[in-house]
Amino acid sequence: MGRGGALSESVLKKIILSYSYVAIWIFLSFTVIVYNKYILDRNMYNWPYPISLTMIHMGFCSSLAYILVSVLKVVEPVQMTLDVYLKSVVPIGFLYSLSLWLSNSAYIYLSVSFIQMLKALMPVAVYSIGVLFKKEGFKGQTMSNMLSISFGVAIAAYGEAKYNSWGVTLQLGAVAFEATRLVLIQMLLTSKGITFNPITSLYYVAPCCLVFLSVPWIIVELPKLRDTSSFHFDYFIFGTNSICAFALNLAVFLLVGKTSALTMNVAGVVKDWLLIAFSWSVIKDTVTPINLFGYLIAFMGVAYYNHAKLQALKAKEAEKKATQFDLDDESGKLLDQKDEKSARKNNWKFGCLMMGS
């Protein structure tokens, strides 16, 4: 009873911790999205400078990541050569900077709810680019699923009350660049045995982003900021916003490290629905029935995609275990045969000795 009770307490503790990590990640992801919208939207804080905001995030995250990795040594750095950094990390940093720039820019033109609906296209983009780079095999069933997600998003776009073509273009561009970045991570880093957690990722990638973003910032936003003489840097607003952005990366580290990537995907779906509800009830964005119907179709497609991915992973793990079991079984048989031969040899020697005596 005592032992069973202790086991139950242990399981209950793990469940509570898992839900706590999920809740923290949802809260921080929710906060960063709404906070960015608040800062960039012309009807709210009215600071429509997405490159500047992204650079503030990258500068803050680079500094903190450097302190955690190089000074406090909380996280071990990855073994990295200059050649690998230039050929693998720099292209990923370039794509990440474009993805962040465009996604933050979209908040100026689109509602939070509609942006979340457009983000449902991420699996479509990742799969399509994976097929293009020959990292994924083309499957008719998977492609049908991708088309159903796209169809759902198209319906949601059709029902959008405040549709803005430029905003949609920016968000779709952000999805395309982010999907390409995820595929390149597999091709350029994972294939070489290099894995980043969110802290080491910021340590290596954030400085690249800062450098790449400085080019369009000098051309596009710096002249406008110079003309805006009334602007004064709000340390509280931008400081807390950057802290939330960095904390979100820590939350990703906790969530994936203590649970799984699938848990994060499921939590992401919950977060999206909460954001749509918040956008409608608090920010007073218009969410139409056609919006919701289209997103529901896309959501079901994404859910099925995640389910199929999970089943494929389980099948792969089962196959790996079966192969290992067969190898162990074969090794066991060989050892048994060896022991049997050794026993026969020893018995023969023992018989010879008995005969000699």
Side-chain angles (χ1 to χ4, degrees), residues 6 8 60 63 83 86 120 126 128-129 245 247 265 269 278 301 310 315 347 357:
S8 298
F60 184 83
S63 303
D83 184 61
L86 292 174
V126 171
S128 301
I129 293 166
N265 284 338
V269 171
F278 181 85
L310 176 63
N347 286 338
S357 64

Side-chain angles (χ1 to χ4, degrees), residues 32-212:
V32 169
I33 289 168
V34 174
Y35 211 159
N36 287 352
K37 172 67 175 176
Y38 168 74
I39 291 171
L40 295 165
D41 197 297
R42 288 188 173 90
N43 297 319
M44 297 182 190
Y45 188 76
N46 190 25
W47 200 69
Y49 302 105
I51 306 174
S52 301
L53 183 64
T54 309
M55 287 181 71
I56 290 168
H57 288 172
M58 290 298 101
F60 184 83
C61 290
S62 296
S63 303
L64 272 186
Y66 178 80
I67 292 167
L68 288 173
V69 175
S70 296
V71 180
L72 299 178
K73 301 188 186 299
V74 175
V75 181
E76 285 292 321
V78 177
Q79 294 297 320
M80 181 75 62
T81 63
L82 181 62
D83 184 61
V84 171
Y85 186 81
L86 292 174
K87 290 181 179 178
S88 301
V89 177
V90 170
I92 289 166
F94 175 67
L95 291 168
Y96 193 39
S97 64
L98 290 173
S99 172
L100 290 172
W101 170 18
L102 297 184
S103 62
N104 279 335
S105 299
Y107 286 114
I108 300 170
Y109 305 97
L110 303 175
S111 66
V112 170
S113 57
F114 187 45
I115 286 173
Q116 300 315 119
M117 293 175 189
L118 290 173
K119 283 181 180 178
L121 287 169
M122 184 59 75
V124 180
V126 171
Y127 178 72
S128 301
I129 293 166
V131 170
L132 188 67
F133 283 98
K134 296 181 180 178
K135 294 301 293 181
E136 291 271 2
F138 181 85
K139 295 177 183 176
Q141 187 178 4
T142 307
M143 185 51 73
S144 299
N145 185 25
M146 298 298 107
L147 289 172
S148 71
I149 295 170
S150 304
F151 179 66
V153 173
I155 292 173
Y158 176 76
E160 176 61 19
K162 296 178 181 177
Y163 183 87
N164 183 289
S165 298
W166 179 238
V168 171
T169 302
L170 288 169
Q171 185 55 49
L172 292 179
V175 168
F177 284 124
E178 179 63 10
T180 308
R181 182 183 77 92
L182 294 173
V183 173
L184 282 187
I185 285 172
Q186 289 183 322
M187 292 175 63
L188 301 177
L189 295 177
T190 310
S191 61
K192 296 174 183 175
I194 300 170
T195 53
F196 287 151
N197 62 46
I199 306 304
T200 51
S201 178
L202 288 174
Y203 178 75
Y204 290 107
V205 177
C208 288
C209 292
L210 199 58
V211 172
F212 284 124

Side-chain angles (χ1 to χ4, degrees), residues 143-290:
M143 185 51 73
S144 299
N145 185 25
M146 298 298 107
L147 289 172
S148 71
I149 295 170
S150 304
F151 179 66
V153 173
I155 292 173
Y158 176 76
E160 176 61 19
K162 296 178 181 177
Y163 183 87
N164 183 289
S165 298
W166 179 238
V168 171
T169 302
L170 288 169
Q171 185 55 49
L172 292 179
V175 168
F177 284 124
E178 179 63 10
T180 308
R181 182 183 77 92
L182 294 173
V183 173
L184 282 187
I185 285 172
Q186 289 183 322
M187 292 175 63
L188 301 177
L189 295 177
T190 310
S191 61
K192 296 174 183 175
I194 300 170
T195 53
F196 287 151
N197 62 46
I199 306 304
T200 51
S201 178
L202 288 174
Y203 178 75
Y204 290 107
V205 177
C208 288
C209 292
L210 199 58
V211 172
F212 284 124
L213 287 168
S214 64
V215 177
W217 179 73
I218 291 168
I219 299 166
V220 179
E221 292 187 1
L222 181 58
K224 293 179 183 177
L225 286 167
R226 279 177 178 165
D227 293 339
T228 313
S229 56
S230 59
F231 172 73
H232 297 286
F233 191 85
D234 192 327
Y235 287 95
F236 177 78
I237 290 289
F238 294 107
T240 51
N241 181 247
S242 297
I243 289 168
C244 288
F246 186 80
L248 177 59
N249 282 279
L250 290 178
V252 171
F253 178 60
L254 280 173
L255 185 61
V256 177
K258 302 295 182 181
T259 57
S260 67
L262 183 69
T263 303
M264 186 173 166
N265 284 338
V266 174
V269 171
V270 175
K271 178 208 71 180
D272 289 344
W273 282 108
L274 286 172
L275 276 166
I276 290 169
F278 181 85
S279 178
W280 171 72
S281 60
V282 179
I283 304 178
K284 302 301 180 184
D285 286 333
T286 304
V287 180
T288 66
I290 298 175

Side-chain angles (χ1 to χ4, degrees), residues 19-30:
Y19 276 108
S20 299
Y21 295 137
V22 168
I24 290 167
W25 180 80
I26 288 176
F27 172 75
L28 287 170
S29 181
F30 187 99

